[in-house]
Amino acid sequence: MNRLRDLQIGEALEEVQLPPVSRMDLIKYSGASGDFNPIHTIDEEATKSGLPGIIAHGMWTMGNLAKLFTAHYEEGYIQDYNIRFKGMVFLNDVITLKASLIEVNLGELTFDVKALKQTDQEVLKGKVIFKLDV
């Protein structure tokens, strides 16, 4: 594993592939986040809302992005996120998280980040600024 401070612009962090999204993941996230909208946990309610099935919370997907940086928290911390949701995540989707370094400025590393489904469809895209400890 490379240290973040040694990364060069254009290099990527090691990808993270999440296990298939489960109903239990979403029930647990509902409890942790306080977002009990039933489109995330009850099939019939999702269908009544015009969805093909229950969908993951967008913030669940976004929160998982932090896993890209887990191995590097001894070097600093995530200072800022700027994320755009681009697609829905359904039960059993397998999400792959990616990050590549695009800018280095005074100890701040800016990464392009994205989350892709098993079909390579982007479901989330944005930037993360990681602040290196001095």
Side-chain angles (χ1 to χ4, degrees):
M1 168 185 60
N2 292 335
R3 294 172 6 136
L4 287 186
R5 63 184 71 241
D6 297 331
L7 277 181
Q8 301 297 311
I9 291 176
E11 290 185 316
L13 297 180
E14 187 173 331
E15 294 179 6
V16 173
Q17 187 174 66
L18 302 175
V21 177
S22 72
R23 187 178 308 270
M24 187 54 70
D25 292 333
L26 303 181
I27 290 169
K28 288 178 179 177
Y29 187 81
S30 291
S33 68
D35 180 351
F36 295 102
N37 187 328
I39 64 170
H40 300 301
T41 54
I42 302 171
D43 295 307
E44 295 78 19
E45 296 299 322
T47 303
K48 283 184 201 174
S49 297
L51 298 167
I54 65 172
I55 60 171
H57 308 72
M59 297 300 284
W60 176 87
T61 308
M62 186 177 123
N64 273 297
L65 275 176
K67 293 178 179 174
L68 286 162
F69 299 92
T70 299
H72 305 286
Y73 288 129
E74 290 184 9
E75 295 182 69
Y77 56 93
I78 294 174
Q79 184 176 49
D80 197 15
Y81 269 92
N82 182 351
I83 301 297
R84 181 173 185 185
F85 300 105
K86 299 186 71 178
M88 291 185 272
V89 174
F90 297 97
L91 286 181
N92 299 313
D93 278 345
V94 176
I95 303 299
T96 300
L97 309 170
K98 297 183 177 188
S100 59
L101 183 63
I102 61 167
E103 184 179 341
V104 177
N105 186 20
L106 300 174
E108 292 181 356
L109 309 177
T110 303
F111 291 87
D112 270 338
V113 294
K114 57 186 168 182
L116 301 129
K117 292 170 74 163
Q118 64 278 5
T119 58
D120 285 335
Q121 176 194 359
E122 285 184 353
V123 293
L124 180 153
K125 185 176 183 178
K127 297 195 182 335
V128 167
I129 297 175
F130 190 93
K131 178 73 172 170
L132 293 172
D133 290 335
V134 179

